[in-house]
Amino acid sequence: MAKIILGMDSIVLKEIPLTKERTTIGRKPHNDIQIDNLAISGEHAVLVTILNDSFLEDLNSTNGTFVNGQSVKKHFLQNGDVIELGKYRLKYVSDAPQSATAAAPDFERTMVLRPDILRQTTEQLANKGMGDTQIGMRTVAPGAQVEPLPGAVPVPPSPPPQAPALAAIQIINGANAGKEMELTKTLTTLGKPGVQVAVIARRPHGYFLTHVEGANFPVVGGVTLVANKPHQLRDHDIIELAGIKMEFFFKA
């Protein structure tokens, strides 16, 4: 299990295990990690933990959030990273294995969910549901037989959503040229933490690439992606990310 070691001036103040999906950091008492110091914003930053991975996001704090001396807005945490908030240091410690494949060290694979991706998924599911207007509704006691309403047309049950055809990506250039990775997971994160990171989401209606971290945005088919806007990948799309070119394709 990952944890945060909070300290100041080489003195360890406390250890906080990351047992929650969202762990907030800030000056106000409601935060999971409260740091009562004027240099810390009321709601300064948040740690999002999914499975073995943790992701740090600055919440538009006044004095900023730093990791290993570098100012960050969003950052995938790795074992030993030091988060700096004013005079305080929060060391991230994790005994989980690194998510990158040994065969492709430049090719990061993680299972990290960003809050905005979670919101997008929720909104999409909500948009597919029933509207606010309800017609012909009636209360039925548990276990009672339900007769169809007069004039009602039977509606067959919806078939379960089908998973998209299995896809993969193949590296085109660099030391790992020719390496292939199947996209079997719900989320596959690509790139180099601290440099440029993007995530491929496998959804029932296809595969979508979204920018996560870095000043430069991924390029697909010569077109630069838009911030926080998922881009649906098509067969044989060329993706350029962190100096690496790769081809997305569907498996036969």
Side-chain angles (χ1 to χ4, degrees):
M1 178 186 298
K3 63 182 178 180
I4 289 292
I5 301 176
L6 174 63
M8 183 179 66
D9 297 331
S10 301
I11 300 174
V12 174
L13 301 177
K14 65 168 63 175
E15 293 187 6
I16 305 99
L18 298 179
T19 57
K20 300 172 59 178
E21 181 177 321
R22 289 177 59 86
T23 302
T24 57
I25 307 171
R27 190 179 69 254
K28 293 183 178 179
H30 67 262
N31 287 284
D32 299 301
I33 302 177
Q34 183 192 11
I35 303 177
D36 190 8
N37 186 282
L38 292 178
I40 310 300
S41 296
E43 296 175 351
H44 198 104
V46 63
L47 292 160
V48 178
T49 301
I50 303 294
L51 299 180
N52 294 327
D53 297 298
S54 295
F55 172 76
L56 172 71
E57 182 173 1
D58 180 81
L59 299 177
N60 297 318
S61 63
T62 301
N63 295 316
T65 300
F66 296 80
V67 176
N68 303 329
Q70 300 294 320
S71 177
V72 300
K73 287 296 183 182
K74 302 180 180 69
H75 181 77
F76 286 104
L77 290 169
Q78 299 183 81
N79 184 39
D81 277 352
V82 176
I83 305 168
E84 302 168 35
L85 305 179
K87 296 181 179 180
Y88 291 84
R89 302 291 182 269
L90 297 89
K91 185 175 181 179
Y92 175 76
V93 178
S94 174
D95 56 5
Q98 293 294 320
S99 55
T101 59
D106 293 333
F107 220 29
E108 295 290 339
R109 292 175 59 185
T110 62
M111 287 290 291
V112 176
L113 291 175
R114 294 171 53 206
D116 54 342
I117 290 178
L118 292 173
R119 287 197 301 270
Q120 291 167 8
T121 303
T122 303
E123 291 169 359
Q124 288 166 354
L125 292 173
N127 290 336
K128 293 180 181 179
M130 295 293 292
D132 293 333
T133 304
Q134 297 178 335
I135 300 175
M137 298 294 288
R138 57 179 174 175
T139 303
V140 179
Q145 295 293 324
V146 180
E147 297 294 333
L149 292 171
V153 178
V155 179
S158 300
Q162 298 296 318
L166 182 62
I169 50 178
Q170 185 176 47
I171 305 176
I172 297 175
N173 65 339
N176 297 303
K179 296 289 184 180
E180 182 179 307
M181 181 173 67
E182 292 185 347
L183 302 174
T184 57
K185 297 182 181 296
T186 303
L187 291 173
T188 301
T189 301
L190 309 173
K192 299 178 181 179
V195 178
Q196 189 178 15
V197 177
V199 64
I200 295 179
R202 188 186 187 201
R203 300 178 182 173
H205 50 292
Y207 292 81
F208 293 79
L209 179 71
T210 305
H211 173 74
V212 174
E213 179 183 355
N216 297 320
F217 287 72
V219 176
V220 179
V223 178
T224 302
L225 297 194
V226 178
N228 299 328
K229 184 176 181 181
H231 175 87
Q232 185 168 10
L233 294 171
R234 304 188 183 281
D235 198 19
H236 299 299
D237 269 349
I238 302 299
I239 303 169
E240 299 178 49
L241 176 70
I244 300 296
K245 288 186 178 181
M246 59 198 83
E247 179 183 5
F248 170 88
F249 62 95
F250 288 100
K251 304 281 285 187

